[in-house]
Amino acid sequence: MSVPPGGSTPADVPPPNELPVDVAVWPEHTSATTDDVPVLSRVGHDRGHLDRSLDDPARGRPVRVLVMDERRQVPVREGAAGPELLWDQRPGFPAGGIYLGHADDVAYAALRGERTLSIGGTPVDAWAGLREVGSDLGDRDAGLLAQATGIVEWHERNRFSPYTGAATVVEKAGWTQRDPTTGQEVFPRTDPAVIMLVHDGDRVLLGRQAVWPPGRFSILAGFVEPGESAEAAVAREVAEEVGVEVTDVRYVGSQPWPFPQSLMLGFTARAVSTELHVDHDEIEEARWFTREELRSGAGPAALPPPVSIARHIIDGWLAEGPQA
């Protein structure tokens, strides 16, 4: 498949209330996380940044190509140890491909395409996206799928130059777009967002959005505004959403969240006040839960799935024990 021509879609300008967290799809698999880093932050390959400028970014190596359909789903097969991405083996870099990097002297690329029943003669067991299988993949496949999802989203949402409105030309193996009238380069965009666990020592503050299934709660989140530090965004978002003042804002870790193009910056924060004043334009409900309620299952009907940094932060807080 060739690189698509210029032109935008309705998703080029997302609605202002589009959140950097999953508000629609919650996988049924919601067991606790066990990794030292958030699931989608795992990387098992070299992204090959310098190779992107070459005529052949694969440097003559065979290329494993991941086909991604219009729903951002990819072919998956059931391996001996769990789900695995199903790669199409190519002798060279494909036209219209997006270079993802290399591992073990093999190059990897993403290519937008249509669903098929098999890939390279191997039957496809399922077509699935990052939300559904991300937490069950190995480090290499998880990192490659997160990368592929993010860069394909960028291409789909950004086809016109922000300088002149001209249809852009894709260059550098899919990692830049160029304005043909001015020569200006346009690079992939990432929107920083904060996601924070607010606690008062032995209780955690969780909220829910109206579009979520009943009983599902998560920690709070929001976008960082221009000219604002991440720590300031934590304090502002908590105050706006639930009317709680916080202190002791501490960074936990980060995770790419390419739905469509966010980088989630995880924090914990201690509540100074605990009385809630919920902004129902932001969230439907907010409640305090004790560690024991979350551990025993007496709290929310469901917590975020392990593919999310939200679950990683909650599980880390639960493991710490009471705080003075």
Side-chain angles (χ1 to χ4, degrees), residues 197-199 234-235 244-250 268-273:
L197 182 147
V198 178
H199 67 91
V234 168
V244 170
E245 180 185 353
V246 297
T247 187
D248 194 22
V249 178
R250 299 186 181 185
T268 60
R270 179 180 290 273
V272 174
S273 58

Side-chain angles (χ1 to χ4, degrees), residues 56-69:
D56 176 16
R59 296 178 180 265
R61 293 173 293 203
V63 183
R64 289 178 182 167
V65 177
L66 184 66
V67 178
M68 182 169 286
D69 71 8

Side-chain angles (χ1 to χ4, degrees), residues 75-87 126 136-138 140-141:
V76 176
R77 68 177 178 182
E78 287 297 327
E84 298 174 350
L85 301 184
L86 189 52
W87 300 88
D136 297 318
L137 297 173
R140 187 201 64 192
D141 278 4

Side-chain angles (χ1 to χ4, degrees), residues 226-277:
E228 183 178 50
S229 70
E231 291 80 2
V234 168
R236 174 183 55 77
E237 286 286 347
V238 175
E240 290 177 355
E241 293 187 358
V242 293
V244 170
E245 180 185 353
V246 297
T247 187
D248 194 22
V249 178
R250 299 186 181 185
Y251 176 73
V252 175
S254 65
Q255 181 188 59
W257 192 248
F259 306 110
Q261 52 198 23
S262 298
L263 175 65
M264 306 302 296
L265 307 173
F267 292 87
T268 60
R270 179 180 290 273
V272 174
S273 58
T274 58
E275 184 177 354
L276 304 181
H277 300 279

Side-chain angles (χ1 to χ4, degrees), residues 57-111:
R59 296 178 180 265
R61 293 173 293 203
V63 183
R64 289 178 182 167
V65 177
L66 184 66
V67 178
M68 182 169 286
D69 71 8
E70 62 182 7
R71 296 163 63 183
R72 308 296 178 267
Q73 295 189 326
V74 297
V76 176
R77 68 177 178 182
E78 287 297 327
E84 298 174 350
L85 301 184
L86 189 52
W87 300 88
D88 187 13
Q89 189 79 16
R90 306 282 184 93
F93 195 77
I98 302 171
Y99 183 61
L100 301 178
H102 59 90
D104 300 325
D105 206 34
V106 175
Y108 290 87
L111 189 66

Side-chain angles (χ1 to χ4, degrees), residues 164-227:
T164 67
T168 54
V169 177
V170 177
E171 297 181 347
K172 294 186 178 178
W175 285 89
T176 65
Q177 298 181 31
R178 188 177 297 276
D179 184 325
T181 61
T182 66
Q184 290 273 12
E185 286 185 294
V186 182
F187 297 94
R189 168 183 164 184
T190 297
D191 296 328
V194 291
I195 184 163
M196 46 280 182
L197 182 147
V198 178
H199 67 91
D200 68 355
D202 194 47
R203 296 189 304 170
V204 63
L205 177 58
L206 301 179
R208 58 170 279 103
Q209 296 185 22
V211 295
W212 290 349
R216 299 195 181 232
F217 283 77
S218 184
I219 56 180
L220 305 180
F223 286 110
V224 179
E225 295 184 345

